[in-house]
Amino acid sequence: MTTELVTGISELTTNDPERGGLLGRVKNAAVVIDGDTIAWVGPAADAPAADTRTDLGGRALLPGWVDSHTHLIFSGDRSEEFEYRMAGNAYQAGGIRTTVRATTEASDEQLRAGLAARRRTAQRNGTTWMEVKTGYGLDVAQETRLARLAAEVTSDVTFLGAHVVPPDTHADDYVALVVGDMLAAVLPYVAWIDVFCERGAFDPDQSRTVLEAGRAAGLGLRVHGNQLGEGDGVRLAVELGAASVDHCNHLGPRDIEALGSGGTVATLLPACDLSTREPFPPARALLDAGATIALASNGNPGTSNTTSMAFCVATAVLQMHLTIEEAIWAATAGGARALRRDGGDSPIGAIIPGHRADLHAIDAPSVSHFAYRPGMDLTYDVWARGRRSSTSPSP
Ligand code: NIG
Protein backbone atom coordinates (compact mmCIF):
# COMPACT_ATOMS: atom_id res chain seq x y z
CA MET A 1 0.00 0.00 0.00
CA THR A 2 1.39 3.45 -0.93
CA THR A 3 1.67 6.07 1.82
CA GLU A 4 1.21 9.81 1.24
CA LEU A 5 2.46 12.58 3.54
CA VAL A 6 0.37 15.76 3.38
CA THR A 7 2.19 18.85 4.69
CA GLY A 8 1.83 22.63 4.45
CA ILE A 9 -1.41 22.47 6.48
CA SER A 10 -1.96 25.86 8.14
CA GLU A 11 -4.86 24.52 10.23
CA LEU A 12 -5.97 20.91 10.51
CA THR A 13 -9.51 20.19 11.74
CA THR A 14 -9.35 16.70 13.22
CA ASN A 15 -12.66 16.48 15.17
CA ASP A 16 -10.54 14.56 17.67
CA PRO A 17 -11.86 15.29 21.18
CA GLU A 18 -8.43 14.53 22.63
CA ARG A 19 -6.86 17.49 20.81
CA GLY A 20 -8.97 20.16 22.55
CA GLY A 21 -11.86 22.34 21.45
CA LEU A 22 -14.81 20.97 19.52
CA LEU A 23 -12.81 20.64 16.28
CA GLY A 24 -9.46 19.52 17.72
CA ARG A 25 -7.66 22.03 15.46
CA VAL A 26 -3.87 21.68 15.01
CA LYS A 27 -1.70 24.45 13.51
CA ASN A 28 1.20 23.64 11.11
CA ALA A 29 0.10 20.04 10.90
CA ALA A 30 0.79 16.99 8.75
CA VAL A 31 -1.22 13.86 7.93
CA VAL A 32 -0.12 10.48 6.60
CA ILE A 33 -2.55 8.46 4.47
CA ASP A 34 -1.95 4.74 4.04
CA GLY A 35 -4.09 3.45 1.17
CA ASP A 36 -7.63 4.40 2.08
CA THR A 37 -7.01 5.09 5.77
CA ILE A 38 -5.54 7.86 7.95
CA ALA A 39 -2.31 6.47 9.41
CA TRP A 40 -0.79 9.40 11.32
CA VAL A 41 -1.77 12.94 12.42
CA GLY A 42 0.33 15.54 14.25
CA PRO A 43 2.61 18.58 14.10
CA ALA A 44 4.54 18.80 10.79
CA ALA A 45 7.84 18.88 12.68
CA ASP A 46 7.22 15.30 13.92
CA ALA A 47 5.92 13.81 10.65
CA PRO A 48 7.26 10.40 9.60
CA ALA A 49 8.52 9.71 6.05
CA ALA A 50 6.14 8.39 3.38
CA ASP A 51 6.29 7.20 -0.25
CA THR A 52 4.89 10.46 -1.70
CA ARG A 53 4.46 13.98 -0.43
CA THR A 54 1.83 16.67 -1.09
CA ASP A 55 2.45 20.24 0.09
CA LEU A 56 -0.74 22.27 0.61
CA GLY A 57 1.24 25.52 0.81
CA GLY A 58 -0.39 26.90 3.95
CA ARG A 59 -3.99 25.87 3.38
CA ALA A 60 -6.54 24.43 5.81
CA LEU A 61 -7.48 20.74 5.78
CA LEU A 62 -10.67 19.31 7.26
CA PRO A 63 -12.68 16.07 6.99
CA GLY A 64 -14.80 15.70 3.85
CA TRP A 65 -18.42 16.78 4.33
CA VAL A 66 -20.78 13.98 5.38
CA ASP A 67 -24.12 14.75 3.73
CA SER A 68 -26.56 12.62 5.72
CA HIS A 69 -29.83 13.68 4.03
CA THR A 70 -30.33 13.77 0.24
CA HIS A 71 -33.02 12.83 -2.26
CA LEU A 72 -30.63 12.91 -5.22
CA ILE A 73 -32.14 10.17 -7.38
CA PHE A 74 -34.81 11.97 -9.38
CA SER A 75 -35.65 13.46 -12.74
CA GLY A 76 -37.33 16.73 -13.67
CA ASP A 77 -37.39 20.37 -12.67
CA ARG A 78 -39.63 22.29 -10.24
CA SER A 79 -38.42 25.82 -10.79
CA GLU A 80 -41.97 26.96 -11.56
CA GLU A 81 -43.13 25.71 -8.17
CA PHE A 82 -40.14 27.46 -6.60
CA GLU A 83 -41.00 30.74 -8.33
CA TYR A 84 -44.62 30.41 -7.14
CA ARG A 85 -43.34 29.90 -3.59
CA MET A 86 -41.03 32.88 -3.78
CA ALA A 87 -44.08 34.92 -4.77
CA GLY A 88 -45.46 34.25 -1.30
CA ASN A 89 -47.15 30.82 -1.49
CA ALA A 90 -46.47 28.08 1.04
CA TYR A 91 -44.63 24.82 0.33
CA GLN A 92 -46.94 21.82 0.09
CA ALA A 93 -45.87 18.18 0.26
CA GLY A 94 -48.01 17.48 -2.83
CA GLY A 95 -45.26 18.93 -5.08
CA ILE A 96 -43.46 15.62 -4.55
CA ARG A 97 -45.92 14.01 -7.00
CA THR A 98 -44.59 16.20 -9.83
CA THR A 99 -41.15 14.67 -9.36
CA VAL A 100 -42.67 11.19 -9.08
CA ARG A 101 -44.17 11.60 -12.57
CA ALA A 102 -40.90 12.81 -14.13
CA THR A 103 -38.84 10.16 -12.34
CA THR A 104 -41.16 7.34 -13.38
CA GLU A 105 -40.82 8.41 -17.03
CA ALA A 106 -36.99 8.47 -16.93
CA SER A 107 -34.89 5.48 -18.00
CA ASP A 108 -32.38 3.79 -15.69
CA GLU A 109 -29.59 5.40 -17.73
CA GLN A 110 -31.05 8.88 -17.31
CA LEU A 111 -31.48 8.42 -13.56
CA ARG A 112 -28.00 6.95 -13.20
CA ALA A 113 -26.44 9.83 -15.15
CA GLY A 114 -28.34 12.47 -13.15
CA LEU A 115 -27.30 10.96 -9.84
CA ALA A 116 -23.67 10.61 -10.98
CA ALA A 117 -23.53 14.25 -12.10
CA ARG A 118 -24.96 15.52 -8.79
CA ARG A 119 -22.58 13.34 -6.85
CA ARG A 120 -19.59 14.57 -8.89
CA THR A 121 -20.56 18.18 -8.21
CA ALA A 122 -20.93 17.42 -4.51
CA GLN A 123 -17.51 15.78 -4.37
CA ARG A 124 -15.86 18.66 -6.21
CA ASN A 125 -17.22 20.79 -3.38
CA GLY A 126 -15.86 18.59 -0.61
CA THR A 127 -18.57 16.00 0.03
CA THR A 128 -16.99 12.57 0.47
CA TRP A 129 -19.97 10.62 1.83
CA MET A 130 -23.67 10.90 1.12
CA GLU A 131 -26.89 9.18 2.04
CA VAL A 132 -29.50 8.90 -0.76
CA LYS A 133 -33.24 8.37 -0.23
CA THR A 134 -35.81 6.76 -2.49
CA GLY A 135 -39.27 8.34 -2.41
CA TYR A 136 -39.95 9.52 -5.96
CA GLY A 137 -41.29 6.11 -7.08
CA LEU A 138 -44.24 5.33 -4.78
CA ASP A 139 -44.96 1.90 -6.25
CA VAL A 140 -43.16 -1.38 -5.78
CA ALA A 141 -41.32 -1.47 -9.10
CA GLN A 142 -40.30 2.20 -9.10
CA GLU A 143 -39.17 2.32 -5.47
CA THR A 144 -37.13 -0.84 -6.00
CA ARG A 145 -35.53 0.65 -9.12
CA LEU A 146 -34.57 3.83 -7.22
CA ALA A 147 -33.15 1.80 -4.33
CA ARG A 148 -31.13 -0.38 -6.73
CA LEU A 149 -29.68 2.61 -8.60
CA ALA A 150 -28.90 4.52 -5.39
CA ALA A 151 -27.12 1.45 -4.00
CA GLU A 152 -24.68 1.69 -6.91
CA VAL A 153 -23.21 4.86 -5.33
CA THR A 154 -23.66 4.56 -1.56
CA SER A 155 -24.21 1.98 1.15
CA ASP A 156 -26.45 4.48 2.97
CA VAL A 157 -29.61 4.09 0.91
CA THR A 158 -32.81 5.02 2.74
CA PHE A 159 -36.21 3.59 1.79
CA LEU A 160 -38.69 6.50 1.77
CA GLY A 161 -41.68 4.80 0.17
CA ALA A 162 -43.71 6.68 2.82
CA HIS A 163 -42.89 10.06 1.28
CA VAL A 164 -46.43 11.01 0.27
CA VAL A 165 -49.61 9.08 -0.54
CA PRO A 166 -50.00 8.58 -4.32
CA PRO A 167 -53.09 10.10 -5.99
CA ASP A 168 -56.36 8.14 -5.85
CA THR A 169 -55.03 5.88 -3.11
CA HIS A 170 -56.29 5.49 0.43
CA ALA A 171 -53.52 6.30 2.91
CA ASP A 172 -53.99 3.13 4.97
CA ASP A 173 -53.92 0.94 1.84
CA TYR A 174 -50.72 2.65 0.75
CA VAL A 175 -49.09 2.15 4.18
CA ALA A 176 -49.98 -1.56 3.95
CA LEU A 177 -48.22 -1.72 0.57
CA VAL A 178 -45.17 0.15 1.92
CA VAL A 179 -44.71 -2.21 4.87
CA GLY A 180 -45.61 -5.28 2.80
CA ASP A 181 -44.52 -5.90 -0.80
CA MET A 182 -42.57 -2.66 -1.18
CA LEU A 183 -40.41 -3.17 1.89
CA ALA A 184 -39.71 -6.78 0.91
CA ALA A 185 -38.66 -5.72 -2.60
CA VAL A 186 -36.31 -2.87 -1.60
CA LEU A 187 -34.74 -4.71 1.33
CA PRO A 188 -31.65 -6.03 -0.54
CA TYR A 189 -30.62 -2.45 -1.41
CA VAL A 190 -31.37 -0.35 1.67
CA ALA A 191 -29.92 0.23 5.15
CA TRP A 192 -32.52 2.67 6.49
CA ILE A 193 -36.25 3.35 6.50
CA ASP A 194 -37.72 6.86 6.69
CA VAL A 195 -41.21 8.39 6.84
CA PHE A 196 -42.50 11.92 6.23
CA CYS A 197 -44.50 12.35 9.46
CA GLU A 198 -46.40 15.54 8.72
CA ARG A 199 -49.85 16.89 8.00
CA GLY A 200 -50.40 16.25 4.27
CA ALA A 201 -48.17 13.16 4.36
CA PHE A 202 -48.37 10.44 7.07
CA ASP A 203 -49.98 10.75 10.51
CA PRO A 204 -48.26 9.50 13.70
CA ASP A 205 -49.98 6.08 13.70
CA GLN A 206 -49.13 5.45 10.06
CA SER A 207 -45.57 6.67 10.67
CA ARG A 208 -45.18 4.31 13.62
CA THR A 209 -46.42 1.40 11.50
CA VAL A 210 -43.82 2.17 8.82
CA LEU A 211 -40.94 2.58 11.27
CA GLU A 212 -41.78 -0.54 13.28
CA ALA A 213 -41.99 -2.62 10.10
CA GLY A 214 -38.61 -1.30 8.97
CA ARG A 215 -37.07 -2.05 12.33
CA ALA A 216 -38.49 -5.59 12.30
CA ALA A 217 -36.87 -6.06 8.88
CA GLY A 218 -33.48 -5.03 10.31
CA LEU A 219 -33.32 -1.44 9.02
CA GLY A 220 -32.15 1.63 10.95
CA LEU A 221 -34.73 4.38 11.45
CA ARG A 222 -34.82 7.98 10.18
CA VAL A 223 -37.76 10.42 10.32
CA HIS A 224 -38.79 13.59 8.46
CA GLY A 225 -40.37 15.47 11.35
CA ASN A 226 -41.69 18.87 12.44
CA GLN A 227 -40.91 20.52 9.10
CA LEU A 228 -44.19 22.29 8.39
CA GLY A 229 -45.75 22.36 11.85
CA GLU A 230 -45.41 21.09 15.41
CA GLY A 231 -46.32 17.41 15.10
CA ASP A 232 -45.31 14.09 16.63
CA GLY A 233 -42.34 13.33 14.37
CA VAL A 234 -39.61 14.24 16.83
CA ARG A 235 -41.16 12.45 19.79
CA LEU A 236 -41.83 9.34 17.72
CA ALA A 237 -38.26 9.33 16.42
CA VAL A 238 -36.79 9.60 19.91
CA GLU A 239 -39.18 7.01 21.36
CA LEU A 240 -38.33 4.46 18.65
CA GLY A 241 -34.58 5.16 18.84
CA ALA A 242 -34.25 6.60 15.32
CA ALA A 243 -30.70 7.54 14.34
CA SER A 244 -31.90 10.93 13.16
CA VAL A 245 -34.93 13.19 12.90
CA ASP A 246 -34.60 15.67 10.09
CA HIS A 247 -35.92 19.23 9.56
CA CYS A 248 -37.00 20.11 13.17
CA ASN A 249 -38.26 23.59 12.23
CA HIS A 250 -41.22 23.62 14.61
CA LEU A 251 -40.20 22.34 18.03
CA GLY A 252 -41.93 22.76 21.36
CA PRO A 253 -40.15 22.51 24.75
CA ARG A 254 -40.95 18.77 25.00
CA ASP A 255 -39.36 18.11 21.60
CA ILE A 256 -36.21 19.99 22.58
CA GLU A 257 -36.04 18.15 25.87
CA ALA A 258 -36.52 14.78 24.15
CA LEU A 259 -33.73 15.51 21.65
CA GLY A 260 -31.48 16.74 24.46
CA SER A 261 -31.76 13.55 26.45
CA GLY A 262 -32.13 10.89 23.71
CA GLY A 263 -29.63 9.47 21.23
CA THR A 264 -31.46 10.73 18.13
CA VAL A 265 -29.50 13.31 16.11
CA ALA A 266 -31.37 16.48 15.07
CA THR A 267 -30.46 16.96 11.41
CA LEU A 268 -30.95 20.55 10.28
CA LEU A 269 -31.35 21.51 6.62
CA PRO A 270 -30.71 25.26 6.25
CA ALA A 271 -30.84 25.40 2.44
CA CYS A 272 -34.33 23.87 2.57
CA ASP A 273 -35.44 26.36 5.22
CA LEU A 274 -34.46 29.25 2.95
CA SER A 275 -36.13 27.70 -0.08
CA THR A 276 -39.40 26.99 1.76
CA ARG A 277 -39.28 30.11 3.94
CA GLU A 278 -39.86 28.03 7.04
CA PRO A 279 -38.52 29.45 10.31
CA PHE A 280 -35.04 28.14 11.11
CA PRO A 281 -34.90 25.39 13.75
CA PRO A 282 -34.01 26.53 17.29
CA ALA A 283 -30.42 25.34 16.92
CA ARG A 284 -29.07 27.20 19.95
CA ALA A 285 -31.80 25.83 22.23
CA LEU A 286 -31.11 22.31 20.93
CA LEU A 287 -27.40 22.58 21.67
CA ASP A 288 -28.05 24.10 25.10
CA ALA A 289 -30.37 21.15 25.87
CA GLY A 290 -27.54 18.72 24.99
CA ALA A 291 -28.80 17.57 21.57
CA THR A 292 -26.44 16.44 18.81
CA ILE A 293 -26.88 18.40 15.59
CA ALA A 294 -26.00 17.42 12.02
CA LEU A 295 -26.18 19.71 8.99
CA ALA A 296 -27.14 18.26 5.60
CA SER A 297 -28.02 19.56 2.14
CA ASN A 298 -31.40 17.83 1.62
CA GLY A 299 -30.53 17.96 -2.10
CA ASN A 300 -33.82 17.48 -4.00
CA PRO A 301 -35.67 19.21 -6.84
CA GLY A 302 -38.50 20.55 -4.67
CA THR A 303 -37.33 22.15 -1.46
CA SER A 304 -33.53 22.33 -1.64
CA ASN A 305 -31.96 22.08 -5.07
CA THR A 306 -28.33 22.15 -3.96
CA THR A 307 -25.61 19.80 -2.78
CA SER A 308 -23.48 22.61 -1.33
CA MET A 309 -22.57 21.77 2.25
CA ALA A 310 -20.44 24.95 2.35
CA PHE A 311 -23.63 26.96 1.74
CA CYS A 312 -25.36 25.07 4.56
CA VAL A 313 -22.45 25.75 6.93
CA ALA A 314 -22.39 29.47 6.08
CA THR A 315 -26.17 29.74 6.54
CA ALA A 316 -26.06 27.86 9.84
CA VAL A 317 -23.48 30.33 11.15
CA LEU A 318 -24.89 33.54 9.69
CA GLN A 319 -28.60 32.84 10.15
CA MET A 320 -29.02 30.07 12.73
CA HIS A 321 -26.37 31.46 15.08
CA LEU A 322 -24.16 28.40 15.31
CA THR A 323 -20.49 29.10 15.98
CA ILE A 324 -18.01 28.26 13.21
CA GLU A 325 -16.87 25.24 15.22
CA GLU A 326 -20.41 23.96 15.82
CA ALA A 327 -21.35 24.26 12.14
CA ILE A 328 -18.20 22.57 10.80
CA TRP A 329 -18.56 19.75 13.34
CA ALA A 330 -22.25 19.28 12.47
CA ALA A 331 -21.47 18.99 8.73
CA THR A 332 -18.71 16.41 9.26
CA ALA A 333 -18.73 14.47 12.55
CA GLY A 334 -22.44 15.27 13.09
CA GLY A 335 -23.36 13.76 9.72
CA ALA A 336 -21.28 10.70 10.55
CA ARG A 337 -23.12 10.35 13.88
CA ALA A 338 -26.50 10.73 12.14
CA LEU A 339 -25.55 7.79 9.89
CA ARG A 340 -24.00 5.86 12.78
CA ARG A 341 -20.67 5.89 10.93
CA ASP A 342 -18.63 7.63 13.61
CA GLY A 343 -17.46 4.24 14.89
CA GLY A 344 -17.08 0.69 13.64
CA ASP A 345 -14.68 -0.69 11.05
CA SER A 346 -14.13 2.31 8.81
CA PRO A 347 -15.35 5.42 10.62
CA ILE A 348 -15.80 8.73 8.79
CA GLY A 349 -16.17 12.39 9.74
CA ALA A 350 -12.84 12.90 11.52
CA ILE A 351 -9.12 12.96 10.72
CA ILE A 352 -7.92 10.44 13.27
CA PRO A 353 -5.71 7.39 12.64
CA GLY A 354 -7.91 4.45 11.60
CA HIS A 355 -10.58 6.65 10.02
CA ARG A 356 -11.32 6.53 6.31
CA ALA A 357 -9.08 9.00 4.46
CA ASP A 358 -11.79 11.47 3.40
CA LEU A 359 -10.19 14.91 3.33
CA HIS A 360 -11.06 18.37 2.07
CA ALA A 361 -8.36 21.01 1.49
CA ILE A 362 -9.50 24.61 1.05
CA ASP A 363 -7.84 27.61 -0.51
CA ALA A 364 -7.93 29.51 2.79
CA PRO A 365 -5.93 29.38 6.02
CA SER A 366 -8.85 28.49 8.31
CA VAL A 367 -12.33 26.94 8.29
CA SER A 368 -13.74 30.27 9.49
CA HIS A 369 -13.58 31.34 5.81
CA PHE A 370 -16.68 29.23 5.03
CA ALA A 371 -18.79 31.90 6.79
CA TYR A 372 -16.36 34.82 6.55
CA ARG A 373 -16.42 34.57 2.74
CA PRO A 374 -19.83 32.94 2.14
CA GLY A 375 -20.62 31.69 -1.33
CA MET A 376 -16.97 31.58 -2.42
CA ASP A 377 -15.69 28.38 -4.00
CA LEU A 378 -13.07 27.46 -1.42
CA THR A 379 -12.37 23.83 -2.33
CA TYR A 380 -8.74 23.25 -3.32
CA ASP A 381 -8.55 19.46 -3.35
CA VAL A 382 -10.48 16.45 -2.08
CA TRP A 383 -9.40 12.93 -1.06
CA ALA A 384 -12.14 10.30 -1.00
CA ARG A 385 -11.06 7.00 0.50
CA GLY A 386 -7.44 8.11 0.15
CA ARG A 387 -7.75 8.96 -3.56
CA ARG A 388 -6.99 12.56 -4.36
CA SER A 389 -9.42 13.97 -6.93
CA SER A 390 -6.79 16.04 -8.74
CA THR A 391 -4.81 12.87 -9.36
CA SER A 392 -7.57 10.30 -9.81
CA PRO A 393 -10.65 10.03 -12.00
CA SER A 394 -13.98 11.10 -10.47
CA PRO A 395 -16.07 8.19 -9.21
O1 NIG B 1 -37.04 16.75 2.78
N1 NIG B 1 -40.12 16.82 3.25
C1 NIG B 1 -40.17 15.91 2.49
N2 NIG B 1 -39.30 15.62 1.52
C2 NIG B 1 -38.41 16.57 0.90
C3 NIG B 1 -39.12 17.39 -0.09
C4 NIG B 1 -39.24 16.69 -1.36
C5 NIG B 1 -39.94 17.45 -2.44
O2 NIG B 1 -40.68 18.43 -2.22
O3 NIG B 1 -39.72 16.98 -3.55
C6 NIG B 1 -37.73 17.38 1.97
O4 NIG B 1 -37.81 18.62 1.99
Side-chain angles (χ1 to χ4, degrees), residues 69 71 78 81 91-93 95-96 99 136 160 163 196 224 227 247 269 272 298 300-303:
H69 182 137
H71 304 252
R78 284 172 44 203
E81 175 191 319
Y91 169 73
Q92 284 172 354
I96 293 167
T99 302
Y136 292 125
L160 182 58
H163 201 181
F196 188 11
H224 281 65
Q227 177 184 6
H247 288 286
L269 310 165
C272 175
N298 190 18
N300 78 75
T303 61

Side-chain angles (χ1 to χ4, degrees), residues 179-191:
V179 303
D181 290 353
M182 206 182 277
L183 175 57
V186 299
L187 209 49
Y189 307 108
V190 305

Side-chain angles (χ1 to χ4, degrees), residues 173-249:
D173 294 341
Y174 184 64
V175 169
L177 180 70
V178 167
V179 303
D181 290 353
M182 206 182 277
L183 175 57
V186 299
L187 209 49
Y189 307 108
V190 305
W192 302 97
I193 192 162
D194 197 342
V195 59
F196 188 11
C197 180
E198 197 82 45
R199 206 170 308 128
F202 296 88
D203 70 25
D205 288 343
Q206 293 160 345
S207 300
R208 178 184 290 277
T209 301
V210 169
L211 294 169
E212 285 181 345
R215 185 166 61 187
L219 302 179
L221 311 186
R222 324 189 69 75
V223 176
H224 281 65
N226 302 54
Q227 177 184 6
L228 307 174
E230 235 186 88
D232 291 297
V234 164
R235 287 192 292 274
L236 190 61
V238 174
E239 182 204 319
L240 296 181
S244 175
V245 56
D246 302 35
H247 288 286
C248 300
N249 299 81

Side-chain angles (χ1 to χ4, degrees), residues 73 107-109 111-112 115 134 141-154 157 185-186 188-190:
I73 181 134
S107 68
D108 282 12
E109 267 330 298
L111 290 174
R112 196 177 269 129
L115 176 58
T134 72
Q142 292 293 334
E143 282 293 310
T144 309
R145 178 168 83 122
L146 298 182
R148 174 172 53 77
L149 294 171
E152 292 176 0
V153 306
T154 179
V157 179
V186 299
Y189 307 108
V190 305

